[in-house]
Every structure is written in structure tokens, then in C-alpha cells.
Amino acid sequence: MFGVWSPGEDVATLAYFGLYALQHRGQESAGIAVSDGTRIVVFKDMGLVPQVFDAPVLSTLRGHIAVGHCRYSTSGSSVWQNAQPTFRTTASASLALGHNGNLINTLELAALVRESAAGGGAAGGSLAGLPEATSDTEVLTALFTLPADGVTQGIEAAALAALPRARGAYSLVFMDERTLYAARDPQGFRPLVLGRLERGWVVASETPALDIVGASFVREVEPGEMISIDERGLRSRRFAPAQPRGCLFEYVYLARPDTVIAGRGVHATRVAVGRTLAAEHPVEADLVIPVPESGTPAAIGYAQASGIPYGQGLVKNSYVGRTFIQPSQTMRQRGIRLKLNPLRDVIAGQRVVVVDDSIVRGNTQRAIVTMLREAGAAEVHVRISSPPVAWPCFYGIDFATRAELIAGGLSPEEIRVSIGADTLGYVSLEGLIAATTLPRERLCRACFDGDYPLPVAHGEQGKHLLEGAVAGAGAARAGS
Ligand code: SF4
């Protein structure tokens, strides 16, 4: 997610570069909205950033404000209608919005929008006034354009009124014709940073997107803060007290290694985790290899601390996307085989420690252990730089149900047997937290320990929540 306000710059191209740096956060669809001060134009499509945009398309997106998004779906299917930025108009303004995270009171907010629509306040009488889109982001967009007491209000006022009603994870970048906005939920589950250009401002999910456009890091958008940027400068408002619970999994897997979170580089954190892993789960072996790329820093740390030589034993095809981030199980399994290939000369006859960042469903690690054995490894010792992922995430990662998580039902020893490793060791939760240098109470650790910072009501879960609600509403209408 990326936003830029900068008169005189080619903001669409800056957004394109920013999204390129953030492609790892979502690979299903991409979009950019641009305003020239009077009109917002949105271009979005399914696919990777360079598949969606080329020079002729970017040249049509003229203005001085832009919002860009690349989507990984956690609410609503991976379809064009749910691609972002979303777009919606009121009598006085237009809104384009990008969202990273996942709301946990989507149905409640949808009901609010529907009530308002039924009262004549909003356009359309269907769910959220948007029959085609089925994401929490569309509901939020509708909420940001609701009139107050039947009177159309500006986007800024409407957003400030609506944000305290939203619960869950939402780092937002949005705009009307004249102003760029950014907001972050009170827990700050997902990262969001502010940067300075010579003649403007940038907001982005991660710091490498600032680096790529030549912006200097200013600070993080605070949890519970909304920022507005226009020709009058930057204004900051607090819409809720900060209760920071940043996502621990960002350090494990989600964020780029060159990202800085809370003043600490993700790469350094991952190396430190690898050292701890070596201390907690030592083994006699000949070679430490990473599962590239997100296992690499922890493998370096493991090798440093253990004294076992580090090497490259698996070659990654960089043109294949992240495995668990792809939407269907069949796609995921194919993705694993496409993505990694062993270096037989390096592996054959060796006792190998293979370091990966996490085990979610277990498919990747099972395939890797098999590959390494087929390549002639004498022993395969799997080391994981996170604790077992045993609980679903409701704040923006598609770990949908406990049943899908291998550690939701099996012990580490049972998982070792299931993936076929000689030994298996996970870093402890304490070890991982210590490596971040943040206090435990400032981190969300729910997928590891089940301690959810925001409880999720029964029936308010699931990626296809609104699709069920829309289908249900349609059936109710058809039956009435
Ligand atoms: S449950 Fe896990 S993945 Fe989700 S926000 Fe919390 S730490 Fe991050």
C-alpha cells in the first residue's frame, strides 16, 4: 500500500515503484488512483504490478496525489470487483481507498451502512450499497462516504467519525480530490510509515517503498492516528488511544528483510532468531542451508552461532510467488514444486540443517525434506525461526481455521514425522520476542499463543463472510 502527495512529480510512476517494492505483500491484483485536484481516476486489474501497469497506462494517470495497492485477499474473493483502491462518490467528493489488514466487525459495519442506505442516506439499498464487491474494505469505503444526519460531509470528517467504529486491523491510505490521508488502527497490527520527499510526502506499508522513491523516513503512522496531507501541510489527529500490538509475524515472514519496524531492521531480527534457534536446538551437521528467501537471515544466524558452514542448497525460482499467499490449495502445492530445486552437488552425502521461517500447513516442508533426501542428503534437520503457528489470524493473514494449521492438531514430534525430518526444532516464543527487542505486551502473538488482542465474535470470521451475507440477503429478497 502506497500513497504520495507531491505537486510537480509524476505521482503515478512513484506509486508504481512503491508498489513494486511492496509486491511481496499482495500478488493477486494491483491498482493506482490519481487525483489532479478536481478528479480521481482509478486503474486496477488482476495480476502483479508490472502486469497491470505499463508506461502508456501510467501516462494517463496524471495528478499530484496517488494511492496504490497490491492485494492479498483475506476478506472477499480474489476477483476484480474486490481489487483496490476502492472508489466511491458522495454529492460533494470522491474517495479512493487502499486497506492492509482485516476488520473483525465487518457484518456490524455492513448493517450500519445498510440501515443508513435504507433510511435514504446512502446510494443503493443492497448490502453496503455495493452488490458486486464483498470485502471489508468496501464496507469501510461505504462507511467513509455516509452522510451525517442526512447531510453530506467531507471525507475527512466522515473518516474521523467512522474510524472509531471499525475494529480489527486496518492500515489505510486514501484520498479525496484534494487530500491524501493515512490511518492506522489503535493496535497498529500492520505497519504504516511516513516519508518525506523534497516536494511532498509519502506513506507506505514498509520502509523499502520509501527508499525506492527517494523519500526519507520520518516516522511510523501512530496506532490510532489519522494523517491528512494537502497544500496546507500535514495534520495529525488521534481518533483512538494507541494500544500497540504490532504483528509478530511481520518479523518472521511478511515484511521484507530490508524493512525497519519500530527502529529495528527485520534482517537483524531474523539473524538474531537464527542464533537463538541454534542455542535452543543444536544438532551435529555438516551444512546449514536456508529455504530462500525468508529463511536466509535465520540460517545465517544459525550457522554463525553453531559454527556449521552455511551454504546454498536450494535454488529458488524468483518468478514464482509466495506459496501460502496464493489463494487455493492446488495452486499452493504446484507453487512449491515450481519454486524450489535442490543443488545436488552441495547436498549429496551431507547432514543438512534446513532453516525455514514458519510451518503453516506443512506442505512446503514435506516437499523440501523429500527433495533433499532425493538429492542425497544423509540427514535432514529442519529448524523453524518461529514457534508453531497453531491459531488462526483474524487480522490480515489467511490462516483461516485451526484445522488448516498443522500445529493446530499435531505436536512438534508428530509434525516431524509428518514432514519426514530426522529432527525438527522451532524457536521458542520468548526467543522470537527477544529478537524483536520489543516488549511482549506490545506485540500480537495470537497465531502462536492464542492470546488475541481483540476477541473475534462467533460468526464474524472467515474470508467469505460477506459473500455469505450477500447470498443470504439475495435469498431473503428472492423469498420475500
Ligand atoms: S495473529 Fe499472528 S499473523 Fe495475525 S496479527 Fe497476530 S501475530 Fe500477526
Side-chain angles (χ1 to χ4, degrees):
M1 217 171 49
F2 185 88
V4 53
W5 184 92
S6 188
E9 296 258 20
D10 177 359
V11 290
T13 300
L14 292 182
Y16 174 79
F17 284 133
L19 291 184
Y20 223 117
L22 299 168
Q23 183 76 82
H24 61 290
R25 297 193 74 89
Q27 300 164 358
E28 297 168 21
S29 59
I32 296 175
V34 170
S35 173
D36 59 5
T38 57
R39 193 174 67 123
I40 295 177
V41 175
V42 186
F43 189 94
K44 59 187 179 182
D45 210 341
M46 303 304 290
L48 300 171
V49 175
Q51 291 170 330
V52 173
F53 294 99
D54 56 18
V57 168
L58 290 171
S59 71
T60 65
L61 299 171
R62 301 236 156 260
H64 66 283
I65 316 175
V67 163
H69 190 269
C70 38
R71 182 167 190 249
Y72 154 52
S73 56
T74 57
S75 169
S77 294
S78 183
V79 293
W80 185 90
Q81 287 81 352
N82 286 334
Q84 299 181 31
T86 57
F87 179 75
R88 202 169 168 89
T89 57
T90 71
S92 62
S94 304
L95 167 67
L97 181 144
H99 170 205
N100 178 209
N102 207 65
L103 301 183
I104 60 166
N105 65 336
T106 304
L107 289 182
E108 180 191 317
L109 297 179
L112 196 73
V113 172
R114 196 167 48 227
E115 272 166 33
S116 178
S126 60
L127 182 70
L130 283 166
E132 290 186 347
T134 52
S135 70
D136 55 353
T137 311
E138 286 291 355
V139 174
L140 204 57
T141 308
L143 202 63
F144 280 16
T145 50
L146 282 185
D149 299 325
V151 179
T152 303
Q153 53 185 344
I155 298 298
E156 188 161 358
L160 278 168
L163 284 167
R165 292 177 184 268
R167 296 183 76 242
Y170 53 93
S171 282
L172 305 173
V173 176
F174 55 107
M175 66 198 256
D176 57 27
E177 285 85 349
R178 303 174 65 92
T179 308
L180 174 70
Y181 305 96
R184 201 167 169 210
D185 62 79
Q187 284 69 36
F189 285 106
R190 301 280 147 235
L192 191 60
V193 293
L194 175 69
R196 192 78 165 107
L197 287 166
E198 203 177 318
R199 288 178 290 170
W201 297 90
V202 174
V203 280
S205 295
E206 294 183 36
T207 55
L210 304 184
D211 302 336
I212 202 170
V213 299
S216 53
F217 173 78
V218 175
R219 64 177 175 85
E220 297 196 1
V221 177
E222 298 278 323
E225 180 188 24
M226 182 172 118
I227 283 174
S228 312
I229 298 166
D230 57 21
E231 65 280 353
R232 290 176 288 164
L234 182 146
R235 300 180 295 286
S236 164
R237 322 272 174 82
R238 181 156 289 287
F239 61 87
Q243 302 167 318
R245 297 294 291 270
C247 170
L248 186 52
F249 206 70
E250 292 279 349
Y251 293 93
V252 171
Y253 174 83
L254 286 174
R256 283 172 55 138
D258 49 343
T259 288
V260 176
I261 304 175
R264 168 90 160 145
V266 169
H267 175 82
T269 304
R270 291 177 183 166
V271 172
V273 174
R275 287 199 203 101
T276 304
L277 192 52
E280 292 181 346
H281 296 284
V283 67
E284 280 203 14
D286 305 309
L287 183 66
V288 178
I289 64 167
V291 176
E293 306 289 341
S294 46
T296 302
I300 292 169
Y302 194 101
Q304 285 173 353
S306 66
I308 302 169
Y310 171 89
Q312 187 189 10
L314 291 164
V315 174
K316 181 183 172 189
N317 182 336
S318 306
Y319 301 96
V320 181
R322 293 184 151 197
T323 50
F324 89 75
I325 229 161
Q326 291 164 1
S328 79
Q329 182 71 5
T330 325
M331 287 285 286
R332 273 191 289 270
Q333 276 167 354
R334 286 208 187 105
I336 294 161
R337 302 302 303 198
L338 279 171
K339 191 165 91 169
L340 294 169
N341 207 26
L343 281 168
R344 286 176 177 76
D345 295 351
V346 175
I347 301 295
Q350 301 290 297
R351 295 170 299 169
V352 176
V353 178
V354 58
V355 183
D356 205 351
D357 56 85
S358 56
I359 301 183
V360 178
R361 295 169 176 88
N363 300 327
T364 306
Q365 291 71 28
R366 197 174 299 114
I368 287 168
V369 172
T370 304
M371 261 187 244
L372 293 173
R373 291 205 192 282
E374 285 171 0
E379 294 173 12
V380 180
H381 303 279
V382 176
R383 294 293 178 270
I384 303 296
S385 61
S386 64
V389 176
W391 300 87
C393 173
F394 303 117
Y395 315 127
I397 311 284
D398 190 17
F399 302 153
T401 64
R402 278 206 93 189
E404 280 183 283
L405 300 169
I406 193 166
L410 300 184
S411 68
E413 173 55 16
E414 288 168 327
I415 295 169
R416 181 195 70 75
V417 172
S418 169
I419 65 175
D422 291 288
T423 66
L424 168 65
Y426 289 91
V427 81
S428 64
L429 184 55
E430 292 66 33
L432 173 59
I433 291 170
T436 69
T437 69
L438 285 176
R440 180 187 184 91
E441 62 277 8
R442 286 181 70 98
L443 289 162
C444 175
R445 320 162 303 266
C447 52
F448 304 119
D449 66 4
D451 176 14
Y452 289 93
L454 295 175
V456 179
H458 184 68
E460 275 279 4
Q461 319 165 356
K463 179 172 170 179
H464 304 291
L465 193 66
L466 279 179
E467 280 151 18
V470 168
R477 278 196 298 277
S480 63

